[in-house]
Amino acid sequence: MYRYIIRRLIQAIPTLFGITVLSFLLMSAAPGGPTAAMSFSPQTSPEQRARLEAQLGVNDPWHMQYLYWLIGDTWVRRDTDGDGEGDMWGQRKGILRGDFGRSFTRGKRPVIELIGEFVKPTIELTGSALLVGLLFGLPIGIFAAIGRGGWFDNISRVMAVIFSAIPNFWLGLVLILIFSSTLKQADGSPFLPSSWQCNPTLIKCPPIYERLEYLILPVFTLGTAYIAGYSRYMRTSMLDIISQDYIRTAHSKGLTPRMVWFRHGARNALIPIATFLGPAITGLLGGAVLTETIFSWPGLGRQAIQAVTAQDYPFVMAFVVIGAVATIIGYIISDILYALIDPRIRFN
Amino acid sequence: MRTLIKLAVATMLLALVSALVVPVAAQEDPGEDGGTIITSTFGSGPDTFSQIYCTDTACSAMVGFMYIGLLGVDPVEAQIVPGATGALARDWEVSEDNLTYTFHLRDDWFWSDGEPITAQDILYHWEIINTPEAQHPDAWLTDVISSVEAPDDYTLVVTFPDPQCTALNYAGGLAPVPSHYLSQFAPEELVDLPFNLEPDITSGPFYFEGARPGATTNLLGYDDYVDAELGYVAPYRLVQVVSADQTVQVEQLLNGEINVLEGPPVNRRDEIRNAEGIQVFEFPGNSWDYVGLNLADPTNPQPALDPDTGERIDQGIHPIFGDKRVRQALAHAINIDAMIESAVFGEGQRMAAHIIPSSWAYNPDLPPREYNPDLAVEMLAEAGWVIEDGVMTCRGCLYATEVDPNFEGSPMTFELLTNAGNTRREAIGIVVQDELAQLGITVDFQTIDFNTLLDVMDSQEFDAFILGWRNGYPDDPNTVQLFGAEADVPGSGFNFTSFYNEEYFELEQQALTVPGCDLDARREIYYRMQEIMQDEMPYIWLFVQNGFYAARDTVEGFAPYPSQLWWNVDTWTVQQ
């Protein structure tokens, strides 16, 4: 297994390299550039704009910018005042030495530090939504398959279609309208909070179980799609399994239906679901961009969108690299899980 | 009798004690009873609380609460004045040549750790501005300030390369920073100091309590704040929350989740005005919109001046907007009052030229061009444009007579661009398109990505665009970068429309170098400059959007001035 993992990781290197080149190229080719909006003030002179471009290093050709991003620029004299002459040694070490660079806009802070600050709320939100999706989606799928064609199956199917089709941003806004703007508590405050992780006057949020009211609306918004998806996957998988010979054999041996459905049926039906878990874990990082925005959730997705809008290259590239690595690892985990759960599959 | 006397004496003593004690008690710091001010920002929220590295509005607001500046503004006069509240400078002198400003500093300011705030704190700031390794975002100040010296701890001498009456705005960038703490670090270390995220040495009316990135920033009232109006800072806590967008902010204000809001979207302002328990303050703002017209040949963009000789370069003329009479006529053809109603729900004020109505330099005697389509048609006819079969057609227009005879008979049609997603500008574009269509003028109105629009404007290959500017505060007109010949360079500079007028340029220089920077003398010059701008019309001057502050009734002391919401925040209290 270890050889398999190492082989897969080595194979991922060119993929990762290709993703970074392509992302950097696309980003550099985008119109405007990071300094256009930053210096869009009636008091800014062309010289100030040139100085800003030099400071950020975006006046270099794109391939040189990429090279500096990759291996750093500590070997180059940088021009920081736009006069064409180098006046200090470069300070970037490059991603290969673990330096993801500094944000162009956000207090010039290291982007990896910024991402570290925002990833926790994102995982808190998307992890809760995934958990809700699995806890509700899988049983719904199993029961829908058991009662195939019955009222529960039909209702769950219709609900799954509806919740798959409703866009998250619309559902979120409707929920806010109903539970935060229209319905009020006795003291006039919203029935459920529409935003933030916890009471804004608190410097540190209490543990998640003490502030579930802040999670209800965003997790429901995000979780409905998970429930819809997993219930359908599970139903299909379950139907596939219960038509197998060994299920018929189990029935003919006189086992109780509950034993057949859950011990023999559901356990085997979970195997294909494992393949979805890897990418789903990856999705925890960036899968809630719109939901975070609607609920003012201080997560990574919302920050990434703002970085793209501001053309904050280091932030965007760090997000791309982390996302790409997470995706690759997610798929590897999926393959490993599949092989571990299903003894018919071997790593070779 | 004796009892009565005793009773009378006791009553008098009680009255005396009450008279002495009650006022004192009334002036006591209310502590947590001062309440919590909760305001909001949208976007990503503050990422730093460093005076040095903060560049966006979210962190600027928080830094402004935590630190004093070198200079301060009088909220009534809307000008930088000596002795302003919360400023280090007591007063200053200006040399005869307007090049050197000598600031005399107050000696009663202290950092929250007890160290005095002195000229050394500004001198240190200037040193790191000049040190590339420190990566100071305002390094451009070295282009506009020649030197900073501190003859003693409470005197600061700032020298400028050119005499400019707007020099104080630049000097304002030299804020005192806690040099006694920061100077122990190498310049390249400053950007990564934990101090930037959790500042524990401050000087303003509030100090840092804590922050949750992307969610909230909490400050506490600093009771030793020297300039506190009441002798203490009344609000116990001030919280800035990060909201998703402006719509969410309005909901939060209406719900009571926040209690102070700046600049809500125009389409929700009536709702706020009519809501119970909310107080509002409205004023002419400093953000204004315009239609920019390309005066030069868009097929061959050229800089206004030769970079080597400084001589003027022939930039050609735009087939339509190269003629001043056409530009003036178009201004008469568009109903800008109706536009204000449709684009900003009536929340705006017309502009006659380039200076905003709230500025001291605004010319109140210069009315905006009236809406008069008939007059527009007449003026266009004089300029060689007539309506034929419902189409505005060139019949002897300037471009056909002076540049290209083949242009004769061409219809008046042009492309109008603005940035997608801005509903206000999209509404403006639709009004312009509709109004001009009635005169047989075809406007190809397109909305494009903002950055793409900036590229197009930079290239100077456009016909017309809709955009806006936001003036600084306090506003001191300086349009060198906006309309100056040096700023008319394809690829850079903001004189996208290639405006060129010798008299205007001369007046601009005069206005910036008036001896002693006499305000009345400068005002007269700006009045004339506004007349020129209304005549030349490089932009169709539209409107300035009204400013709007709102607070829940539970906030006591809310008494803003234009663009000055927080000037007396140390006296506010919030009922729980």
Side-chain angles (χ1 to χ4, degrees):
Chain A
M1 185 173 76
Y2 297 112
R3 285 182 61 190
Y4 169 80
I5 294 171
I6 290 167
R7 198 172 68 234
R8 286 291 302 272
L9 287 174
I10 290 171
Q11 283 170 353
I13 291 172
T15 310
L16 196 59
F17 183 73
I19 289 170
T20 60
V21 173
L22 201 63
S23 303
F24 208 95
L25 185 61
L26 282 172
M27 202 170 52
S28 307
T35 58
M38 284 165 72
S39 60
F40 195 67
S41 153
Q43 306 302 333
T44 306
S45 68
E47 292 76 23
Q48 288 170 20
R49 193 163 151 183
R51 180 194 281 270
L52 186 61
E53 285 174 354
Q55 261 191 346
L56 300 179
V58 293
N59 55 349
D60 294 321
W62 83 267
H63 58 274
M64 290 308 293
Q65 289 182 49
Y66 179 77
L67 190 69
Y68 296 148
W69 174 79
L70 198 67
I71 63 170
D73 64 356
T74 47
W75 43 284
V76 181
R77 290 285 288 175
R78 304 292 302 174
D79 167 29
T80 57
D81 54 13
D83 66 358
E85 288 179 20
D87 37 43
M88 63 174 262
W89 289 105
Q91 295 177 329
R92 284 178 287 176
K93 291 177 184 156
I95 190 172
L96 293 181
R97 287 189 278 173
D99 179 8
F100 283 77
R102 291 177 185 281
S103 166
F104 284 167
T105 54
R106 312 175 65 160
K108 292 185 185 282
R109 290 179 59 195
V111 289
I112 205 70
E113 192 179 296
L114 287 166
I115 287 174
E117 280 176 1
F118 293 110
V119 76
K120 195 179 153 201
T122 292
I123 289 176
E124 187 180 83
L125 173 63
T126 51
S128 303
L130 179 63
L131 194 66
V132 166
L134 290 171
L135 286 179
F136 286 90
L138 298 185
I140 288 172
I142 292 169
F143 286 114
I146 292 170
R148 184 184 183 184
W151 64 270
F152 185 80
D153 185 29
N154 286 331
I155 290 176
S156 68
R157 195 171 61 228
V158 170
M159 294 302 285
V161 170
I162 290 172
F163 283 119
S164 297
I166 291 177
N168 276 349
F169 62 88
W170 186 85
L171 181 63
L173 290 173
V174 169
L175 291 175
I176 289 174
L177 193 67
I178 296 171
F179 293 101
S180 299
S181 292
T182 308
L183 297 178
K184 304 277 182 188
Q185 298 192 39
D187 63 354
S189 58
F191 187 72
L192 284 172
S194 65
S195 53
W196 308 313
Q197 280 173 292
C198 60
N199 184 335
T201 60
L202 298 175
I203 299 167
K204 199 173 175 191
C205 283
I208 193 167
Y209 53 84
E210 287 182 20
R211 52 185 164 91
L212 291 176
E213 71 271 26
Y214 288 90
L215 276 163
I216 293 173
L217 293 185
V219 166
F220 185 77
T221 303
L222 207 57
T224 47
Y226 281 124
I227 295 171
Y230 284 123
S231 67
R232 290 294 91 191
Y233 292 139
M234 193 62 197
R235 178 183 179 275
T236 309
S237 178
M238 190 74 180
L239 286 175
D240 187 41
I241 293 296
I242 60 180
S243 63
Q244 300 288 319
D245 289 343
Y246 68 88
I247 295 292
R248 205 174 301 123
T249 307
H251 277 298
S252 61
K253 276 166 60 183
L255 292 177
T256 62
R258 211 170 88 181
M259 184 85 89
V260 175
W261 296 130
F262 293 100
R263 180 165 290 183
H264 295 282
R267 281 180 67 179
N268 286 301
L270 277 172
I271 293 172
I273 299 296
T275 57
F276 294 113
L277 267 183
I281 292 166
T282 307
L284 295 184
L285 285 177
V289 173
L290 292 175
T291 311
E292 283 178 3
T293 304
I294 291 165
F295 291 98
S296 305
W297 200 263
L300 189 55
R302 187 153 69 102
Q303 305 298 325
I305 290 292
Q306 278 158 7
V308 170
T309 309
Q311 300 195 9
D312 189 351
Y313 294 172
F315 196 109
V316 175
M317 285 306 293
F319 188 72
V320 166
V321 169
I322 290 169
V325 169
T327 305
I328 290 166
I329 290 174
Y331 278 104
I332 293 174
I333 289 172
S334 245
D335 291 349
I336 294 168
L337 275 178
Y338 206 81
L340 288 177
I341 295 170
D342 190 344
R344 292 170 297 182
I345 295 171
R346 289 288 170 265
F347 289 107
N348 55 3
Chain B
M1 187 62 188
R2 191 181 272 178
T3 312
L4 273 174
I5 291 169
K6 277 183 182 172
L7 201 64
V9 169
T11 309
M12 284 169 66
L13 278 173
L14 194 66
L16 187 66
V17 169
S18 303
L20 290 171
V21 170
V22 169
V24 172
Q27 288 177 17
E28 274 180 7
D29 183 351
E32 291 198 27
D33 291 339
T36 298
I37 299 167
I38 306 180
T39 184
S40 167
T41 182
F42 63 93
S44 53
D47 294 298
T48 178
F49 302 103
S50 159
Q51 293 165 280
I52 298 169
Y53 297 106
C54 164
T55 53
D56 59 60
T57 51
C59 64
S60 297
M62 294 294 100
V63 167
F65 287 126
M66 289 191 283
Y67 294 98
I68 62 164
L70 171 63
L71 303 170
V73 175
D74 180 327
V76 182
E77 297 294 325
Q79 285 179 43
I80 296 171
V81 293
T85 304
L88 182 59
R90 188 179 65 236
D91 52 37
W92 55 85
E93 297 144 15
V94 186
S95 64
E96 281 185 16
D97 58 6
N98 280 358
L99 288 177
T100 304
Y101 284 63
T102 304
F103 296 95
H104 304 289
L105 310 185
R106 287 167 54 175
D107 59 4
D108 56 346
W109 282 114
F110 293 87
W111 296 106
S112 56
D113 63 355
E115 288 291 319
I117 302 176
T118 68
Q120 297 305 319
D121 293 320
I122 294 177
L123 199 59
Y124 170 77
H125 194 176
W126 174 245
E127 282 167 13
I128 57 173
I129 286 172
N130 279 275
T131 307
E133 286 78 6
Q135 303 180 58
H136 199 298
D138 290 338
W140 59 270
L141 279 172
T142 56
D143 295 337
V144 293
I145 294 176
S146 302
S147 69
V148 177
E149 291 162 22
D152 61 60
D153 275 355
Y154 295 101
T155 308
L156 191 77
V157 181
V158 182
T159 310
F160 299 90
D162 307 301
Q164 284 219 0
C165 292
T166 53
L168 279 177
N169 290 336
Y170 297 135
L174 298 168
V177 297
S179 60
H180 61 283
Y181 173 75
L182 297 176
S183 58
Q184 63 184 303
F185 302 100
E188 59 269 25
E189 292 175 330
L190 293 176
V191 72
D192 286 328
L193 292 184
F195 178 79
N196 298 342
L197 305 180
E198 293 181 0
D200 53 4
I201 303 173
T202 56
S203 57
F206 292 89
Y207 65 95
F208 187 75
E209 184 190 19
R212 278 187 285 126
T216 67
T217 303
N218 295 14
L219 310 180
L220 292 173
Y222 178 52
D223 288 333
D224 291 333
Y225 177 61
V226 175
D227 274 7
E229 179 76 18
L230 304 172
Y232 55 84
V233 175
Y236 176 68
R237 181 184 277 128
L238 190 149
V239 177
Q240 181 202 55
V241 298
V242 183
S243 306
D245 56 32
Q246 288 184 296
T247 307
V248 173
Q249 286 182 320
V250 173
E251 292 300 333
Q252 289 167 339
L253 178 74
L254 296 173
N255 286 337
E257 291 178 283
I258 62 174
N259 48 34
V260 181
L261 178 60
E262 297 179 63
V266 288
N267 60 338
R268 303 294 301 273
R269 290 184 182 181
D270 256 350
E271 199 178 338
I272 295 172
R273 280 189 200 101
N274 297 329
E276 277 184 27
I278 290 181
Q279 47 189 327
V280 302
F281 178 76
E282 300 173 61
F283 57 95
N286 51 2
S287 299
W288 50 285
D289 286 308
Y290 60 89
V291 179
L293 307 172
N294 195 348
L295 279 51
D297 181 1
T299 61
N300 181 28
Q302 296 289 324
L305 303 175
D306 186 305
D308 299 323
T309 64
E311 295 292 318
R312 190 176 181 198
I313 293 175
D314 180 10
Q315 297 175 289
I317 61 167
H318 189 277
I320 299 170
F321 307 123
D323 188 339
K324 183 168 77 178
R325 295 168 298 179
V326 174
R327 304 196 294 271
Q328 293 171 346
L330 294 183
H332 286 290
I334 299 168
N335 188 345
I336 295 170
D337 288 322
M339 179 186 286
I340 292 173
E341 286 300 321
S342 63
V344 291
F345 297 79
E347 305 280 347
Q349 202 168 323
R350 281 202 64 178
M351 289 179 70
H354 64 294
I355 292 184
I356 56 176
S358 58
S359 171
W360 57 267
Y362 176 70
N363 185 350
D365 300 324
L366 185 69
R369 286 186 183 273
E370 59 169 337
Y371 172 56
N372 189 337
D374 295 334
L375 178 61
V377 172
E378 267 179 46
M379 293 173 76
L380 285 169
E382 282 173 25
W385 290 91
V386 294
I387 301 176
E388 288 180 359
D389 300 327
V391 177
M392 187 63 71
T393 309
C394 169
R395 290 295 170 207
C397 65
L398 185 69
Y399 194 76
T401 53
E402 293 200 359
V403 180
D404 180 8
N406 294 327
F407 192 70
E408 185 74 5
S410 298
M412 186 182 281
T413 173
F414 64 89
E415 192 177 72
L416 178 66
L417 305 171
T418 197
N419 54 313
N422 185 314
T423 51
R424 184 178 74 249
R425 293 189 190 132
E426 286 170 1
I428 292 170
I430 290 166
V431 171
V432 171
Q433 193 177 36
D434 286 349
E435 300 271 4
L436 296 187
Q438 291 171 31
L439 301 188
I441 301 167
T442 304
V443 178
D444 176 15
F445 177 48
Q446 295 180 26
T447 59
I448 57 176
D449 163 67
F450 183 66
N451 284 317
T452 309
L453 177 65
L454 294 187
D455 271 1
V456 173
M457 286 160 57
D458 262 350
S459 73
Q460 299 192 5
E461 291 173 347
F462 60 89
D463 292 325
F465 63 91
I466 304 165
L467 216 61
W469 291 113
R470 183 186 178 90
N471 289 23
Y473 180 87
D475 182 46
D476 199 327
N478 180 348
T479 60
V480 171
Q481 301 305 336
L482 211 51
F483 297 116
E486 292 83 0
D488 178 8
V489 183
S492 67
F494 292 141
N495 187 359
F496 308 110
T497 64
S498 297
F499 167 77
Y500 194 95
N501 182 296
E502 296 278 5
E503 185 192 356
Y504 183 91
F505 296 155
E506 272 178 33
L507 288 170
E508 175 103 64
Q509 277 314 304
Q510 283 178 30
L512 292 172
T513 55
V514 166
C517 294
D518 179 69
L519 215 57
D520 290 330
R522 293 183 67 202
R523 188 181 281 121
E524 286 302 315
I525 297 171
Y526 283 119
Y527 279 12
R528 172 66 193 137
M529 288 167 70
Q530 287 167 78
E531 289 169 4
I532 293 173
M533 274 301 183
Q534 197 188 61
D535 183 60
E536 287 281 351
M537 302 289 292
Y539 293 173
I540 297 176
W541 313 105
L542 299 179
F543 55 85
V544 58
Q545 199 176 309
N546 290 346
F548 193 102
Y549 298 142
R552 304 285 311 183
D553 277 348
T554 50
V555 178
E556 291 174 5
F558 172 81
Y561 285 97
S563 300
Q564 285 285 286
L565 169 60
W566 303 107
W567 70 277
N568 65 337
V569 66
D570 57 299
T571 66
W572 292 15
T573 52
V574 182
Q575 290 170 11
Q576 301 302 309

